[in-house]
Amino acid sequence: ALICKTASAKFDETVELHVKLGVDSRHADQQVRGAIVLPNGTGKTRKVLVFAKDAKVDEAKAAGADYVGGMELVEKITKENWFDFDVVVASPDMMGIVGRLGKVLGPKGLMPPEAGTVTPNVAAAVKEIKAGKIEYRLDKTNIIHCPIGKVSFGAEKLTENLNTLLGAVVKAKRPQQRASISAPASLPPPWAPA
């Protein structure tokens, strides 16, 4: 509720969660990462590009994909330097074609396979992304940074998103690590008062 009252920017501010975990990200067995669909979304609409063929093209379009295709999209990306999308989803049979884009999409963080973006069920993946699927993972300082919504959502929806994300983070930790979740967590909008 305090976040909603103190928001003063002239635009709809994003609220983020920053959680410090009592693990060491340098050890592979202590990594905490995953993806979850927030119940109220993030307040941001994402453009989805799907590489598919045959019946999966119609499924992806019906699910709400912004761009669907195959080799013609690969040519458009490589020749025209076209990047008018936020997420790339591909069916497994198209990875041979999508692999050619590795040098272009990889540095931009768009290359599948990240968190279920290579799947035979492209329609479900598109629906999840459009509904507000976010990825969380530890950074080098053992902190997870994630957006949980916009100030305009109100306290109730932000709390619901917060509880969903924290529940997923706790479940993602290994059983021996669960006792070591650190209490400090912050929810600052970008221009919050100090």
Side-chain angles (χ1 to χ4, degrees), residues 89-118:
V89 176
S91 59
D93 57 342
M94 295 296 287
M95 282 307 290
I97 294 172
V98 178
R100 300 175 191 173
L101 297 172
K103 291 181 181 176
V104 180
L105 296 179
K108 295 183 181 299
L110 297 170
M111 186 68 185
E114 287 192 17
T117 54
V118 177

Side-chain angles (χ1 to χ4, degrees), residues 76-78 80-86 104-105 108 110:
K76 186 173 183 176
I77 291 169
T78 55
E80 299 176 24
N81 209 18
W82 174 73
F83 295 105
D84 188 29
F85 49 89
D86 301 309
V104 180
L105 296 179
K108 295 183 181 299
L110 297 170

